[in-house]
Amino acid sequence: MSKLEKGPNAQESVPSGGARGEEHILPAAPNEEVLDPQTERSPLWKYVNVRLGLEKTGLKPLVLEAMNAPHPRFMNPLDYMGDILLFLFVNQVVTGLLLMTHYNGSALGSPFPAYVSTLAMTHTWWTAFVRDLHFWGANAMVIALAVHMARVFYVGAYKPPREFQWLSGLILLACTIGLALSGYLLPWDQQSYWATQVATAMVKYIPFVGHDLLFFLRGCRYTCASTLTLFFAIHVVLLPLILVLTIGLHVLLVIIHGQVDVEARLPEEYKKKHRFGQVSDFPKGFVPFWPNIVANIALYSAGMALVLVLIAANKAAPLTAQANYVNVPPAVAAYYRPLPVWYFLNFYQILKIAHGSLEDHLLVLGLPLIIVVALVLLPFLDRNPSHRAKDRPIALTVGALFSIGVLYYTYAGWKSEQPAPVITKAILHPSYQKNLLPIFNTQCTPCHTGAASSDLANFQINTYAGIMKGGTLGPAINVKDPAQSHIILLLEGKDPAAPGLTMPLGGTPLNQAQIQTIENWIKDGAPNN
Amino acid sequence: MPETGRRSFVLGVLGAVGTLIALGYAFVAERFMLPPPESASTLQKVGTSQDFQPGDVKLVVYTGDGGFPDGVYMVRVPGSSALAAYDEHCAHLQCPVQWVAGTQTFDCPCHGSVYSIQGTNIAGPAPHPLNYHTVVEQNGEVYVGGIVPWGTPQWQALAVKWGTTGAWVPGAVPGTIRFSSKA
Ligand code: FES
């Protein structure tokens, strides 16, 4: 007992700078009971205490503080995000270990073992379910992480003395993104192959060493079998290891400093009296971490688990065709249009803005650099000591603008990938480029691609020249009598030259507004506008 | 003095030897990690001269020494009888570009980069023209070799030989176009 108190007492002689957080270790009254007597009496505690040397090493207060820290009985659910993340991580570890027993991480041989073994998982209910849990768990982690970060930012939990919590959190963020990215490649399908190709290609923008670094990361010029081997190692060994160690540090710091909004709600009186690791009288309306808050965490985790199970049981993780290194239509049957995973749609959309080298470098290299530097420096740049929203107009405005930007570009990126806009009202003077091409490109090109092999009716609808030329039925367009154009008659299913044929063949017919729009365009003389 | 003198001497030697060993490893690592000269990869027959007529753009598959197939566009450059070979990977973030006969351009499906039939970037974020592959036309047979990345002297030499540099004409392709490349 006395041994324990010597620690804090010894520091008493050193005048404390009055910094935040140090108030916890003010001297204890010499005879005051430091331990929770109930805890101390438990045989388990006695056993663990001796084995781990908690008393000998002075770690006892840490454990006691962790167990007994007072929390408001009702906390903002958002303050449980960190705990939910921890649960999600455990879900990833458990399901990930299971997946490893079915996965063959090789891209040598044809078909690729990595792809075939992943595909095989989709064939039985339980293997598919575990894979879906892992997939949706990863997506949930990205969302929970974003919410957790936003909450931490909003309550100013990165401010002194919690800078290291913020920084270790950034490491966790980087690891999570790295895990998402490396895990994405493992199925070795089209989607994963091309997403990885594009994501890793950004490395070449790093000045001087970029090209060599990219080669090192991939093991080849373009994503190849070596890339899969390396990414598998990164996904199952390197990043989980860093993640586990950093989670330990992150949680330890939370125990030491407590949560910001808990601290804000604790009465001043209590804070003055309380010493780290000591059980003081609980303020009214407060409950200890163990067992009350732990019970809440268990409840939230169970809720999260239920959501995951429901999603995983109903929605399968996507799996496209196996990776194809060439992937150019029409040479490749299963052409896949490369698209990023949803949480990178924002960056994907932003990249389209650039014209040429300079702007491109600014976006690919400059933008992420600014964001990373800003995140790392945030606790040191924001010197405003207040945690209250009212006192932090600048920080919160910047944060809000950033969030709006991310959301907007995510939406814009998503929207740019949607099928042809449904026209519900005929456009009087439509534009070929803006109004018609989107329809042709989504509804007609599967067959009339302009590629010799799949160019049905010898009709190329995806180019202006092709549509003007027409197909085997002759000109598709009749400017003199627009309603009698083959293209209109075929879409309506009443072309006397092809009885019973309605385009798109085997697809959903176009609606009247869409057909009318095409007809209006022909009435205008079918301009290339 | 002799005691401390000897100690600092030993420490100095240790430091020097340690540094030397570390530098040696760094040098070996640097050499080891250098990409092999890919343009020296084995030649592969992709067709006969007849297969590639003036104005033709055809995709062939070249499998390099690493055993990985790579799409290559064989192009009879208009206005020059040269047979050029462009790597299919976009100069931006390496998506596969597609030949669009209607506009006579290579379009990238990812962020909208566009290249002329000369392989020159003419729109979108692409920072430079397409990479090349070596081509050998011999006795009516056409062989393709390894990649020749943009920015190397070999690339410059091929661009001159094929007549693919600076041949881009402003306004030839619809849309806002800004020209930006060293080539
Ligand atoms: S990869 Fe081609 S435009 Fe980005």
Side-chain angles (χ1 to χ4, degrees), chain B residues 83-140:
Chain B
L83 185 56
Y86 307 152
D87 189 69
E88 67 161 347
H89 295 94
C90 181
H92 184 226
L93 296 175
Q94 308 179 336
C95 281
V97 298
Q98 294 165 24
W99 174 245
V100 183
T103 50
Q104 293 282 298
T105 53
F106 297 95
D107 292 4
C108 182
C110 285
H111 313 97
S113 287
V114 179
Y115 304 83
S116 69
I117 194 169
Q118 274 82 19
T120 311
N121 53 320
I122 53 178
H128 58 75
L130 291 170
N131 296 322
Y132 293 158
H133 276 258
T134 46
V135 181
V136 174
E137 218 176 339
Q138 221 170 42
N139 308 328

Side-chain angles (χ1 to χ4, degrees), chain A residues 455 457-460 463-477:
Chain A
D455 189 8
N458 196 16
F459 183 39
Q460 303 184 353
T463 66
Y464 183 74
I467 193 165
M468 294 324 271
K469 185 176 129 277
T472 40
L473 289 180
I477 279 157

Side-chain angles (χ1 to χ4, degrees), chain A residues 463-506:
Chain A
T463 66
Y464 183 74
I467 193 165
M468 294 324 271
K469 185 176 129 277
T472 40
L473 289 180
I477 279 157
N478 185 343
V479 186
K480 295 211 184 73
D481 191 355
Q484 291 304 310
S485 303
H486 278 301
I487 187 168
I488 301 294
L489 290 172
L490 279 167
L491 286 170
E492 291 173 332
K494 36 189 195 200
D495 192 338
L501 197 60
T502 307
M503 289 290 155
L505 187 59

